[in-house]
Amino acid sequence: DSIDSGEIHIDGIRLGGLSDTELVKFRNRHVGFVLQFHHPLPELTPLENAEMPMRIARMPAEERLPRATGLLERVGLRERLAHRPGTMSGGEQQRVAIARALVMQPDVLLADEPTGDLDEHTADTLHELLSEMHRESGLTSIIATHNPRLAAACHRVFRLEDGRLKEETHLRHRENL
């Protein structure tokens, strides 16, 4: 989508000034997406799904494989690297989508209900992974969620009410997300 008014700058880059090709390249390298409907590509393994953004960026295999494998292990899928998505639970597929979104070490993560299909323990593991990435690489996350535990872990929380964003000051937490 194009903006209606104003400007968007990420890491000193004015997005409105980029061509369509430059925007695609920018999104691939700087923005991770976790969609509410997270369906990984069914013909690819979790490892191949997680590698996809790096393949698009034409990164060499010797860089892709360890990075994708490491993220999939961090989200608890060490034993599922070669399985097809059709044989995996919704929560496992969601974790593949999370690994795919984070594998390029983006500046910004846009996530819609990233813990929707996860049990409480796995959701807590994801919270910790995101917190680590915020500390380690300065990741900024914009997360839409109904999960109060995830919201409470975030640095700032906004509620959409009557078409307007309102900050929830009572939910402000430490320096987590």
Side-chain angles (χ1 to χ4, degrees), residues 18-30:
L18 300 179
S19 69
D20 288 344
T21 301
E22 291 168 326
L23 276 171
V24 167
K25 210 177 269 191
F26 179 86
R27 279 192 301 266
N28 174 255
R29 288 174 173 77
H30 299 279

Side-chain angles (χ1 to χ4, degrees), residues 120-133:
E120 195 171 289
H121 171 73
T122 305
D124 288 344
T125 301
L126 170 64
H127 302 169
E128 183 54 37
L129 172 63
L130 291 176
S131 293
E132 287 171 18
M133 293 195 77

Side-chain angles (χ1 to χ4, degrees), residues 61-129:
E62 55 271 8
E63 192 174 341
R64 289 191 322 256
L65 292 172
R67 193 185 297 185
T69 301
L71 265 172
L72 288 164
E73 288 175 354
R74 285 177 83 177
V75 298
L77 294 175
R78 176 187 312 254
E79 306 301 322
R80 306 287 280 167
L81 298 180
H83 289 74
R84 297 282 183 226
T87 66
M88 301 173 76
S89 71
E92 289 170 329
Q93 291 181 36
Q94 181 72 350
R95 288 182 277 161
V96 171
I98 291 162
R100 182 177 54 212
L102 296 174
V103 76
M104 289 295 288
Q105 300 168 334
D107 299 314
V108 177
L109 174 68
L110 302 174
D112 185 6
E113 295 292 353
T115 60
D117 284 336
L118 304 181
D119 61 74
E120 195 171 289
H121 171 73
T122 305
D124 288 344
T125 301
L126 170 64
H127 302 169
E128 183 54 37
L129 172 63

Side-chain angles (χ1 to χ4, degrees), residues 8-15 26 30-31 107-108 110:
I8 299 172
H9 294 256
I10 297 178
D11 199 25
I13 299 169
R14 187 173 70 84
L15 299 187
F26 179 86
H30 299 279
V31 182
D107 299 314
V108 177
L110 302 174

